[in-house]
Amino acid sequence: MSTETDVDGGDTGDSLTLALAQLHVDAGEVEANVERALAAVSRAADRGADLVALPELFNVGYFAFDLYARNAEPFGGETFTRLREAAADHGIAVLAGSIVEDLAATESVETPAADGFSNTAALFDADGERRLVYRKHHLFGYESAESELLVPGETLETATIGGMTVGVTTCYDLRFPELYRRLVDAGAELILVPSAWPYPRIEHWQTLSRARAIENQAYVATINGSGEFEEATLLGRSSVYDPWGVPLASSGDEATLITTEIDPRTVVDVRDEFPALRDRRR
């Protein structure tokens, strides 16, 4: 049985309050997992957060590969609809970490030029409006069936939330720094990374996340899950790194809610003080 605690990362001034919901995820227990997500949205709103982010495949569980097809939903399906409504009800922006999206069943503007299933995240603003869709670009093949079961995304979007330009990548994407450069070139100041990162690769998880913050002089927030699967155990350790790579808030491996303040002025100040991005040679 999981328990949840709350962790505060401190206040850096007049800024955006970010919450990371490190949820306990039970394989295939979609209703229970979604209820935990909705409760986390409510709790984050009660704590004054402007934006709350959820982990990768929080509803079905990343390592529940045999349940992907059975639990796939169109973009406008029940999971995203409930979280979109929760965002509007609580007046808080929500990154719905990701779900298995049934591309063939998705209709309207979100439909990509492909069938099959996708690892899809959506960002809803505090009015419940869709602001960003991200389909995971790099699909994991090492001891994982993800690359066999899903198709990769092709588009990369940013959105403005609380005065900050926000981008999204997912888990394994952390190993591909060129993706983050593209987001920074598009103006990203905060990059959210919903994940299902397992033991034992703790050093990779922490080092790659911190490196992406340092080299792009941007906030990077990694949102991991908690829980055990037959094939793996999620290591938690969700964290927020500032543009210097300094951790502002972090967790252990149990379910928790992290909140911290982030300031878009810090991104500007760091890039002005140490103009590494301007020194790039293309």
Side-chain angles (χ1 to χ4, degrees):
M1 183 176 181
S2 67
T3 59
E4 296 197 356
T5 58
D6 290 344
V7 179
D8 276 307
D11 190 336
T12 60
D14 183 16
S15 52
L16 179 146
T17 304
L18 173 64
L20 310 184
Q22 184 169 293
L23 302 176
H24 178 84
V25 181
D26 286 319
E29 298 295 331
V30 173
E31 179 59 27
N33 292 333
V34 173
E35 286 293 335
R36 291 189 188 104
L38 294 170
V41 171
S42 176
R43 192 163 68 254
D46 288 343
R47 296 181 63 184
D50 302 295
L51 168 62
V52 59
L54 308 177
E56 179 183 21
L57 298 187
F58 64 89
N59 63 341
V60 64
Y62 176 86
F63 289 95
F65 302 119
D66 59 338
L67 301 177
Y68 278 16
R70 185 190 315 169
N71 292 282
E73 302 179 22
F75 187 90
E78 183 176 355
T79 298
F80 276 172
T81 297
R82 293 174 72 182
L83 285 162
R84 176 182 61 78
E85 292 173 348
D89 289 345
H90 294 288
I92 183 175
V94 176
L95 176 69
S98 69
I99 66 167
V100 179
E101 180 190 6
D102 184 346
L103 299 174
T106 292
E107 299 178 354
S108 77
V109 69
E110 294 90 4
T111 306
D115 291 333
F117 303 116
S118 174
N119 186 333
T120 302
L123 178 61
F124 301 102
D125 66 19
D127 294 321
E129 297 296 322
R130 178 183 61 84
R131 300 298 304 279
L132 178 157
V133 178
Y134 178 72
R135 296 179 174 93
K136 189 175 182 180
H137 279 42
H138 300 95
L139 302 179
F140 197 44
Y142 174 76
E143 296 183 352
S144 167
E146 182 184 35
S147 61
E148 300 172 7
L149 299 173
L150 306 182
V151 296
E154 300 293 341
T155 60
L156 198 61
E157 303 176 351
T158 60
T160 301
I161 299 291
M164 296 196 76
T165 303
V166 180
V168 176
T169 68
T170 304
C171 201
Y172 190 45
D173 286 329
L174 278 168
R175 295 184 181 272
F176 302 90
E178 61 274 12
L179 188 63
Y180 294 77
R181 279 290 199 245
R182 288 173 57 195
L183 282 171
V184 168
D185 286 343
E189 300 162 307
L190 165 64
I191 302 173
L192 304 173
V193 191
S195 302
W197 203 282
Y199 285 103
R201 293 182 291 276
I202 297 174
E203 290 79 8
H204 295 200
W205 168 249
Q206 295 174 327
T207 301
L208 291 167
S209 304
R210 197 169 189 174
R212 298 296 83 85
I214 293 169
E215 69 196 6
N216 294 295
Q217 299 181 310
Y219 288 99
V220 171
T222 55
I223 312 97
N224 205 13
S226 171
E228 297 183 5
F229 298 81
E230 290 186 7
E231 299 182 17
T233 299
L234 301 181
L235 58 80
R237 292 172 171 78
S238 301
S239 299
V240 181
Y241 298 93
D242 78 3
W244 289 117
V246 176
L248 301 181
S250 59
S251 69
D253 60 6
E254 296 298 322
T256 189
L257 182 72
I258 298 171
T259 59
T260 193
E261 305 291 323
I262 59 177
D263 191 336
R265 294 171 299 187
T266 300
V267 178
V268 175
D269 291 344
V270 170
R271 292 176 180 177
D272 284 344
E273 179 179 343
F274 193 81
L277 291 174
R278 295 204 298 266
D279 292 337
R280 291 166 61 193
R281 298 184 65 189
R282 299 173 185 270

